[in-house]
Amino acid sequence: MAHATHLTQPRDHDANDSTKGYSVTSETTAHNELTTIDEAYLGPTAYIDSDHPLVVSTARELTDGATTDSERLGRIYHYVRDLPYDILASFRYLAEGESAASDVLAHGVAFCMGKASSFVALSRAARIPARIAFQALHAPKMEFLSPEVRTLWGGPVGRPLPWHSLGEAFLDGRWIKLDATIDAPTATRLGKPYTVTYDGVTDIPTVEGPVLRENGSYADYPAEVARWYEQVAGEVLEALASPAAHERVAGDDVLWSGPDPELVGRTSVA
């Protein structure tokens, strides 16, 4: 299982300001800032294997004939969004150590981690800078989770989603958040259809619930967050195989709270 996550550029500490740190004050400054973005958000990483042949070929097929970055990004976004959302199936391959974006594309189903990593990987393969963003969500009904996972995660009163992943892309001088977690047919069927249409400018929020907190943006999954996703996957599968484990995992508030965002922010900046 791949755990090593090496972040060589600091995260965007102000996730609500999409242009923070990238304002153009001169031609030289603009060049330097673009170079920084290119270096940090275009190359492959441990989880975002944008140089993998499957990622490269998929990005090429999706963007064939597109004439602008906005059009290329839109095709990638819609492709990733409409991969079927299935958290339990995704936990099964994640628990086996298949954690890279190419693994997600090979399986063809994903939850938020895989949706975000595949979106970022495909964007980078298409030469569009992209990164992973994280949010905490209020989603007490958790209607999108597989019933088996919902029973464990929700607890008696419903827990928040502490580390929700989504993709961000740098387009026309600004970062835009494009949440592609829930496929459109499922969102519509469950009464929470997407209300924002992709236009290359406007953020597209998650349909799972309101955002409680922005947890920052990173070039790759911070090690603590990746390990947490992998731990949750393993614990869920163990719980489904044993009544005793089911009771333990369902009651484990520490597990479901995830890593501390401030600690992640401090330890993940080189």
Side-chain angles (χ1 to χ4, degrees):
M1 184 177 297
H3 289 309
T5 310
H6 303 292
L7 181 65
T8 57
Q9 296 292 331
R11 65 170 181 166
D12 179 354
H13 288 278
D14 188 352
N16 292 315
D17 182 356
S18 60
T19 61
K20 185 175 179 64
Y22 300 104
S23 59
V24 178
T25 56
S26 68
E27 183 176 345
T28 300
T29 300
H31 172 75
N32 290 340
E33 288 164 351
L34 182 59
T35 299
T36 299
I37 293 171
D38 285 348
E39 290 176 351
Y41 304 118
L42 275 174
T45 61
Y47 293 90
I48 304 166
D49 54 346
S50 54
D51 57 347
H52 188 280
L54 178 58
V55 177
V56 172
S57 63
T58 302
R60 184 180 300 118
E61 291 170 7
L62 289 172
T63 60
D64 183 47
T67 58
T68 67
D69 279 348
S70 180
E71 184 181 0
R72 281 184 277 274
L73 188 64
R75 293 185 185 185
I76 290 168
Y77 170 75
H78 287 109
Y79 172 79
V80 172
R81 186 196 66 184
D82 290 338
L83 289 173
Y85 175 88
D86 189 327
I87 192 168
L88 183 55
S90 304
F91 278 177
R92 294 191 190 283
Y93 67 76
L94 181 60
E96 293 296 321
E98 298 179 49
S99 57
S102 59
D103 296 319
V104 176
L105 296 179
H107 283 278
V109 297
F111 73 114
C112 69
M113 181 189 189
K115 289 294 193 95
S117 63
S118 56
F119 170 81
V120 172
L122 289 167
S123 297
R124 291 182 184 180
R127 305 305 296 164
I128 300 171
R131 64 190 183 185
I132 303 288
F134 298 98
Q135 298 169 331
L137 304 181
H138 177 65
K141 293 185 178 179
M142 299 187 178
E143 56 267 70
F144 296 108
L145 299 187
S146 305
E148 303 92 331
V149 180
R150 187 188 311 139
T151 300
L152 291 163
W153 201 322
V157 294
R159 298 181 176 103
L161 302 176
W163 284 90
H164 169 70
S165 309
L166 66 152
E168 285 185 295
F170 192 77
L171 193 65
D172 295 329
R174 64 182 297 272
W175 288 103
I176 54 175
K177 295 182 188 293
L178 298 173
D179 194 287
T181 301
I182 308 299
D183 58 281
T186 297
T188 300
R189 176 172 56 84
L190 293 177
K192 289 189 174 182
Y194 286 88
T195 59
V196 180
T197 302
Y198 172 83
D199 60 9
V201 176
T202 309
D203 290 348
I204 299 179
T206 180
V207 298
E208 293 178 82
V211 176
L212 296 173
R213 181 183 63 242
E214 299 285 353
N215 286 348
S217 301
Y218 295 84
D220 196 6
Y221 278 86
E224 300 92 337
V225 179
R227 283 196 295 265
W228 176 70
Y229 280 126
E230 293 159 355
Q231 180 186 5
V232 167
E235 294 277 13
V236 165
L237 296 181
E238 182 180 351
L240 296 182
S242 162
H246 192 285
E247 183 178 357
R248 173 182 59 78
V249 173
D252 192 344
D253 290 334
V254 174
L255 170 69
W256 297 111
S257 65
D260 179 80
E262 293 302 320
L263 178 63
V264 171
R266 288 196 301 270
T267 60
S268 296
V269 177

